[in-house]
Amino acid sequence: MKANLPQNEPARLQAWQQSDLYAQIRAARAGQPKYILHDGPPYANGAIHLGHALNKCIKDFVVKTKTMAGFDAPYVPGWDCHGLPIEIKVDEQLGRKKLEMDPIAVRRACREYAQKYVDLQRSQFERIGVFGRWNDPYLTMSFGYEASIVETFYDFFEKKFVYKGLKPVYWCIHDRTALAEAEVEYDQHTSPSVYVRYALTSDPAVIAPSLVGIKDLYTIIWTTTPWTLPASQAVAFNPHLEYVALACDGGTYIIAQALMSSVITHCRLMSAKNPAEPASQADIVAVFIGNHLEHATFQHPFLDRSILGVTADYVTAEQGTGAVHTSPAHGVDDFYTGQRYHLPEIQYVDNAGRQRHTGTNGGGEVAQPYEDLTVFKSNPVIIELLKEKGALLSDTSFEHSYPHCWRCHNPVIVRATEQWFIGMETPMITDEGTLTTFRQRALDEIKHVVWDPAWGEERISNMIATRPDWCISRQRIWGVPIAVFLCDKCGEPLNEPSVNKSIVDLFKKDGADAWYAHEAASLLPAGTACASCHHQEFRKEMDILDVWFESGSSWHAVLDLEPELHSPADLYTEGGDQHRGWFHSSLLTSVAVRNHAPYKMVATSGWTLDEQGRAFSKSLGNGVDPVDIAKRLGAEVIRLWVASVDFREDVAASENLMQRVSDNYRKLRNTLRFLLGNIHDFNPATDAIAFANLQPLDQYILARTAELDAKIRAAYDSFEFHRAYHALNEYVNTDLSALYLDVLKDRLYTFAPNHSGRRSAQTALWRIAETLTRLIAPILSFTADEVWALLPKVENRESSVHLALFPAMSEIIPGSTRKLEEDFDHLLTLRDEVLKVLEEERTAKTISNKPSETQIVLGWLNSVAERPNPVFEQYKSILPELFGVAQVQISNAIVTEGNVEKGAFYVQAKPAAGSKCERCWRFTEDVGHQPNYPTVCLRCAEALEAIHYQPYEASPSNATEQQA
């Protein structure tokens, strides 16, 4: 049994594929209770990384442990095949050629690209030993899945969850598309930080009587997005905050009193009374509440536009000035404030993030200096314009957490555009018949799910509770279109169930490409009319659905429609970021359509980091490639690493850690080799000994094996694979290597082949090997199957360990072994003391360095009764083996001194009596008692006779060695 994992694993993998092992497993578990782990689809873009390996191995552990526990646990892997990253890669490959291609040709190129990486990742997942229906996975780009996506959308649409409207959304100017909350990540970004003054143009007396007659009255706003100033239409004040009018050199400024000191510092405001001194409390000329500023008017700092004073509770005194410039086209709060005050919707920024048509709405019909510049490039131009107009009071930079596109990693903006949304406040009916909202139903369902770790419940609850309406439209080609017909005259969407069903059927037959292949008129029944204006001409909506809507519909496309699966799934497990991703979108789609969560349990894993806690990156060169590890060290090393960590936490990985895991694997493999090597001549049908007739030490080790089985099974049930890993290591290193296998060698190597003592040991070794092989199979799938093939043959045994069940407790021990284990607690305590004494006496050179030449004498202290410990007497015959010495003598004499005191006994080590056996090297007093074999002990003579060893005579040079 040689390792050579990089060579042997592919050969075993090929054998599994040729025998269709996965189909055999499915057939073996047919009719058993189902356990469904639903696979969250990885993105079909690039080779797998260590995070993929962690994720897929965890799922494989779950499926295999459930299968070996007797469940029918199919695993249908899937891939997320649509979306922006693939389309961007294809754009790069096609270049300008794309401009000449029709949408179907572009989509075909995207499909081919996605399929390439599905095939690559599939082979890499199989290489690391993950079992599943790899020959027929689910793909979000398959015709059936695309039809299920649009069918799920129509469920929302027909139940009035969906609306189209102008709202501010995250917008990626690089990819030119709207983004959902789940598609935004936060990173550090340096923005300009400017303080800008707006001149008051309305009557100041309305604000405060003491302001009458004051000229050059301004408010000051602070912003980190100067590019939004062209769209500024209002200044918002908190209606409940106190504001002051501060008389300064150059003007009187209205700011929040709580922020006065900060503004004076940032804007270097000097006192009107004493221009050489900073402004202070002494320069306050009026104090008033913010609601006095409602409906005041101001002059835009560089455009010919009147700016309205409005009030809003989101204005705080935490930072800034207490006055917030408001651009309804570029902020969620701004947008709703604009709706409250009926502000016009001014939008200068186009899909590519460029400032366009800047001469309109106060620009004097003359293009402004920032015309055609992207928003971020327009910042310095607008700041310079503010300087020219005398409106800039401060210009610095500000580093802060800022939203970025999680696909291209560029900073995003907020932009009001017409998009499709799912309303979170859509009315719903509970199971009890009471009225509630979509948002509340989702929150209610979260409470019915088991979250592991438990904090997942609060995390996703907070996200659902505070999220805005779901923007589900994207302005791209590669995806499932929002298959809605819009009236050519009034724009009203056509919502006719029979039409919707015909599109679902069309997608099942031809895929979503069909939407691009047919004109609207050819897809609609003759005479179809708009419900609003009765017009009969329609156009197709060409936006595509959010890919999170696609993957979030997998409970319907896969669980509902696959005969071997069921919904809700027993388990969803992905990374912790999926609380805002797949867990989130799956919950919303399922609650809206089915009125319940799509999963019973959700388990989340942490991030893969290096040993210093840093994320893997090419620039740091700290990545660990699972494909490379499998090629060099073997897939079992990756799998064992996954088992060794608590996946719920962030996990560390490095070349160094992988080498350590490889060393641990080698120790375990060597133990398995030892077990197999010592049962090569063992036939369970004829040689196995009943538990009651086993040697006490063999009984004890099987009791410990049964305890290991219980620990590992419990760990598997709770998905605590790291606990199983540590329990296995402790058992192998402590119970086997340091104790049982160490003391057993004499019995295995020197007893007669059929001696009951040797067969007892082999029976225990065989049961241990059987148990370990099945217990490690979910984790070390290649190794366990290799060992399984080398175990002694048993009638009707499954051809692969992966077809077998975990061992029943009765296969290891027949019942309770509590008394036996209590006895061995005493014996092992004594053994520890014996080994300590042996070491001390060897160091003092009072005994030989060889335990086989040593005798142990046990005595009793005068503080106890005359009778010695009955446990020691009961097991006296096995004590030499347990201690690894030639002889053990129990003295009945009560003494007052000894080498070591432990409880009620003392231990003495001295040279053994007798002569050295030439065969087993023990000193015994029966060497030479068998004339045919004069240089060995009686036990060895019996063994020689059993193997028909030729009798011999002792020569003078082979005279038995006496110990001094």
Side-chain angles (χ1 to χ4, degrees):
M1 183 186 169
K2 293 183 179 179
N4 296 331
L5 293 180
Q7 291 77 40
N8 291 341
E9 287 173 347
R12 188 159 296 276
L13 182 61
Q14 184 177 21
W16 287 341
Q17 292 169 338
Q18 289 173 346
S19 67
D20 200 355
L21 178 58
Y22 178 75
Q24 291 185 56
I25 294 171
R26 296 275 59 71
R29 294 295 179 271
Q32 297 304 308
K34 291 275 189 183
Y35 186 91
I36 305 301
L37 182 155
H38 182 36
D39 188 35
Y43 204 70
N45 183 21
I48 69 170
H49 52 65
L50 194 62
H52 286 123
L54 175 73
N55 176 270
K56 278 294 190 285
C57 285
I58 291 167
K59 292 174 180 176
D60 196 48
F61 296 168
V62 171
V63 170
K64 283 174 178 166
T65 56
K66 291 299 181 183
T67 298
M68 295 191 73
F71 289 91
D72 182 8
Y75 177 60
V76 181
W79 273 272
D80 195 349
C81 304
H82 291 135
L84 200 55
I86 290 174
E87 191 172 343
I88 289 172
K89 289 292 185 182
V90 171
D91 284 355
E92 293 172 357
Q93 293 176 1
L94 296 176
R96 295 189 62 81
K97 181 182 175 183
K98 182 184 178 185
L99 301 175
E100 303 167 7
M101 297 169 64
D102 64 37
I104 293 178
V106 175
R107 288 171 60 84
R108 187 181 305 117
C110 291
R111 183 177 294 276
E112 291 169 356
Y113 180 95
Q115 188 62 54
K116 170 186 173 182
Y117 285 104
V118 166
D119 295 339
L120 174 65
Q121 291 184 9
R122 169 170 38 204
S123 68
Q124 293 171 336
F125 288 138
E126 287 186 278
R127 175 62 187 87
I128 61 175
V130 179
F131 289 2
R133 201 181 74 184
W134 296 110
N135 62 336
D136 184 23
Y138 79 84
L139 306 178
T140 61
M141 66 180 181
S142 69
F143 290 0
Y145 197 108
E146 289 180 333
S148 293
I149 293 168
V150 78
E151 185 174 38
T152 304
F153 167 76
Y154 286 145
D155 270 320
F156 276 87
F157 190 44
E158 291 170 13
K159 293 176 179 177
K160 310 299 183 186
F161 283 83
V162 179
Y163 67 93
K164 189 175 188 181
L166 181 73
K167 292 183 70 173
V169 294
Y170 285 117
W171 185 273
C172 179
I173 64 175
H174 180 267
D175 298 326
R176 303 187 184 189
T177 185
L179 299 173
E181 293 278 329
E183 296 172 309
V184 171
E185 61 186 12
Y186 284 81
D187 203 353
Q188 290 302 108
H189 179 71
T190 301
S191 299
S193 172
V194 296
Y195 288 77
V196 181
R197 68 182 189 179
Y198 283 53
L200 182 72
T201 56
S202 60
D203 183 0
V206 176
I207 300 171
S210 57
L211 295 179
V212 173
I214 295 179
K215 296 180 180 180
D216 299 326
L217 193 56
Y218 303 88
T219 191
I220 304 173
I221 65 95
W222 170 67
T223 183
T224 58
T225 55
W227 63 266
T228 62
L229 289 173
S232 180
Q233 296 180 69
V235 176
F237 303 91
N238 187 300
H240 310 295
L241 282 181
E242 283 193 338
Y243 288 79
V244 298
L246 190 68
C248 301
D249 183 28
T252 299
Y253 297 107
I254 297 172
I255 54 177
Q257 186 170 26
L259 291 163
M260 185 178 75
S261 296
S262 172
V263 177
I264 290 171
T265 301
H266 282 99
C267 299
R268 298 184 177 86
L269 299 181
M270 310 306 286
S271 169
K273 299 174 183 176
N274 186 359
E277 296 291 333
S280 66
Q281 292 279 349
D283 296 299
I284 295 174
V285 296
V287 180
F288 44 87
I289 301 300
N291 60 13
H292 289 194
L293 292 159
E294 188 174 26
H295 301 302
T297 58
F298 300 84
Q299 176 59 46
H300 190 283
F302 54 82
L303 294 175
D304 184 14
R305 182 187 305 153
S306 180
I307 300 296
L308 182 66
V310 299
T311 59
D313 288 334
Y314 57 77
V315 179
T316 70
E318 292 179 4
Q319 60 182 2
T321 67
V324 177
H325 110 82
T326 300
S327 296
H330 298 298
V332 176
D333 290 332
D334 306 48
F335 180 82
Y336 290 112
T337 296
Q339 285 191 324
R340 280 198 296 124
Y341 287 91
H342 306 290
L343 300 176
E345 295 165 351
I346 298 175
Q347 173 69 272
Y348 291 111
V349 179
D350 69 6
N351 289 358
R354 294 171 300 191
Q355 303 269 16
R356 303 297 300 275
H357 312 295
T358 57
T360 61
N361 299 304
E365 303 306 320
V366 176
Q368 298 297 303
Y370 46 86
E371 177 78 24
D372 269 340
L373 295 178
T374 60
V375 291
F376 300 115
K377 289 184 178 180
S378 71
N379 277 332
V381 177
I382 291 171
I383 291 171
E384 191 61 35
L385 187 58
L386 290 168
K387 288 180 183 177
E388 292 175 10
K389 299 293 185 180
L392 185 67
L393 297 180
S394 175
D395 172 21
T396 58
S397 60
F398 180 67
E399 186 173 352
H400 58 137
S401 179
Y402 188 86
H404 288 65
C405 174
W406 81 329
R407 297 299 193 192
C408 69
H409 306 296
N410 286 303
V412 301
I413 64 173
V414 173
R415 179 171 177 257
T417 59
E418 194 171 49
Q419 302 289 338
W420 290 88
F421 296 90
I422 289 174
M424 293 301 298
E425 304 306 323
T426 303
M428 289 189 72
I429 303 296
T430 67
D431 292 337
E432 292 75 30
T434 58
L435 186 64
T436 186
T437 65
F438 179 31
R439 186 189 308 277
Q440 189 57 51
R441 275 298 299 129
L443 290 170
D444 291 343
E445 279 299 302
I446 289 170
K447 298 172 185 175
H448 299 149
V449 175
V450 176
W451 299 90
D452 184 12
W455 53 255
E457 178 177 353
E458 182 179 6
R459 185 173 187 186
I460 194 170
S461 294
N462 290 340
M463 290 177 173
I464 295 291
T466 59
R467 67 157 298 140
D469 287 353
W470 184 1
C471 177
I472 58 170
S473 49
R474 299 292 181 273
Q475 291 66 48
R476 303 301 297 190
I477 292 175
W478 181 229
V480 174
I482 297 175
V484 173
F485 298 95
L486 303 171
C487 176
D488 243 351
K489 183 178 179 182
C490 70
E492 182 75 13
L494 177 68
N495 193 349
E496 174 53 55
S498 61
V499 170
N500 298 341
K501 184 179 184 307
S502 71
I503 299 302
V504 172
D505 293 341
L506 177 66
F507 280 23
K508 286 179 182 177
K509 179 175 175 289
D510 298 330
D513 285 356
W515 191 249
Y516 300 87
H518 302 279
E519 295 297 325
S522 66
L523 296 173
L524 291 169
T528 301
C530 173
S532 182
C533 70
H534 308 296
H535 189 68
Q536 294 191 6
E537 292 182 359
F538 294 84
R539 68 181 186 277
K540 294 179 297 181
E541 173 61 71
M542 300 309 293
D543 284 357
I544 63 170
L545 282 161
D546 175 14
V547 290
W548 287 114
F549 187 94
E550 292 192 18
S551 59
S553 301
S554 61
W555 56 266
H556 173 53
V558 182
L559 299 182
D560 276 358
L561 302 181
E562 291 280 358
E564 63 178 347
L565 306 179
H566 66 226
S567 180
D570 294 288
L571 178 67
Y572 276 36
T573 179
E574 302 295 333
D577 57 335
Q578 296 307 309
H579 290 106
R580 66 170 187 162
W582 189 54
F583 302 153
H584 195 115
S585 62
S586 298
L587 175 72
L588 292 182
T589 54
S590 183
V591 168
V593 177
R594 292 288 187 268
N595 208 14
H596 61 70
Y599 35 66
K600 298 175 184 177
M601 179 178 179
V602 172
T604 54
S605 53
W607 297 100
T608 52
L609 307 172
D610 71 8
E611 287 186 275
Q612 284 73 48
R614 301 172 301 180
F616 293 142
S617 72
K618 291 181 180 178
S619 61
L620 291 174
N622 60 347
V624 177
D625 180 3
V627 177
D628 172 65
I629 295 295
K631 285 180 180 177
R632 291 190 294 110
L633 302 177
E636 296 287 58
V637 173
I638 298 168
R639 297 177 66 88
L640 195 59
W641 167 76
V642 174
S644 73
V645 299
D646 183 354
F647 69 82
R648 297 159 180 82
E649 307 290 338
D650 291 343
V651 297
S654 67
E655 177 68 24
N656 179 45
L657 288 173
M658 289 296 174
Q659 290 291 349
R660 278 192 236 163
V661 171
S662 180
D663 291 342
N664 288 341
Y665 169 79
R666 196 175 297 111
K667 292 175 185 175
L668 174 60
R669 187 179 181 89
N670 286 339
T671 300
L672 293 169
R673 287 181 63 185
F674 182 92
L675 296 176
L676 290 173
N678 283 286
I679 54 176
H680 68 282
D681 63 341
F682 180 79
N683 181 348
T686 57
D687 299 332
I689 293 178
F691 184 86
N693 298 326
L694 293 176
Q695 295 274 342
L697 182 60
D698 303 328
Q699 292 178 333
Y700 173 72
I701 199 62
L702 288 181
R704 296 292 293 161
T705 305
E707 185 178 330
L708 173 74
D709 176 77
K711 283 182 181 178
I712 289 182
R713 292 286 298 279
Y716 283 164
D717 286 345
S718 59
F719 308 144
E720 293 182 304
F721 305 111
H722 63 296
R723 294 191 183 279
Y725 168 85
H726 292 302
L728 177 66
N729 269 351
E730 182 180 2
Y731 172 81
V732 168
N733 293 328
T734 304
D735 291 308
L736 292 186
S737 297
L739 173 64
Y740 186 63
L741 301 185
D742 183 51
V743 305
L744 199 64
K745 293 172 184 175
D746 186 56
R747 230 191 313 159
L748 288 172
Y749 300 156
T750 66
F751 280 32
N754 288 316
H755 189 287
S756 60
R758 183 169 182 271
R759 290 306 190 196
S760 174
Q762 286 184 309
T763 300
L765 293 178
W766 168 62
R767 295 201 181 280
I768 291 168
E770 284 272 346
T771 301
L772 287 183
T773 304
R774 285 187 266 184
L775 288 177
I776 68 171
I779 293 171
L780 297 174
S781 298
F782 293 97
T783 303
D785 211 41
E786 180 185 1
V787 173
W788 188 258
L790 297 172
L791 284 169
K793 303 304 177 187
V794 175
E795 189 176 357
N796 298 322
R797 176 196 291 283
E798 296 84 355
S799 59
S800 167
V801 69
H802 300 297
L803 296 167
L805 295 169
F806 285 130
M809 189 63 69
S810 60
E811 295 179 56
I812 309 171
I813 57 174
S816 174
T817 55
R818 182 176 177 181
K819 177 64 169 60
L820 175 73
E821 293 177 71
E822 289 175 351
D823 289 348
F824 265 85
D825 284 344
H826 289 287
L827 294 175
L828 294 178
T829 298
L830 175 61
R831 180 175 185 265
D832 289 341
E833 298 304 325
V834 168
L835 296 181
K836 187 188 301 182
V837 169
L838 288 172
E839 183 61 31
E840 291 173 353
E841 298 300 326
R842 278 195 291 265
T843 302
K845 300 188 182 302
T846 59
I847 61 172
S848 166
N849 285 330
K850 300 174 182 177
S852 59
E853 300 177 1
T854 303
Q855 177 184 149
I856 291 294
V857 178
L858 300 178
W860 309 97
L861 302 182
N862 60 4
S863 59
V864 297
E866 292 186 10
R867 292 188 59 79
N869 188 324
V871 171
F872 299 160
E873 287 285 358
Q874 179 184 348
Y875 293 98
K876 180 180 178 181
S877 63
I878 72 166
L879 294 183
E881 178 184 50
L882 188 62
F883 302 158
V885 297
Q887 300 144 13
V888 173
Q889 178 186 350
I890 297 180
S891 171
N892 289 327
I894 298 175
V895 299
T896 58
E897 60 181 358
N899 300 75
V900 174
E901 295 185 10
K902 183 68 179 180
F905 59 82
Y906 79 93
V907 177
Q908 181 183 21
K910 64 182 183 178
S915 303
K916 182 178 181 179
C917 172
E918 188 180 73
R919 182 168 177 268
C920 69
W921 296 7
R922 291 180 310 128
F923 270 74
T924 72
E925 296 182 283
D926 60 3
V927 173
H929 286 201
Q930 166 53 274
N932 288 337
Y933 308 108
T935 61
V936 300
C937 64
L938 284 176
R939 193 182 72 186
C940 287
E942 179 186 343
L944 292 174
E945 189 173 10
I947 61 174
H948 308 294
Y949 192 83
Q950 188 69 29
Y952 62 88
E953 292 183 4
S955 63
S957 60
N958 284 341
T960 56
E961 178 184 338
Q962 300 292 320
Q963 187 167 199

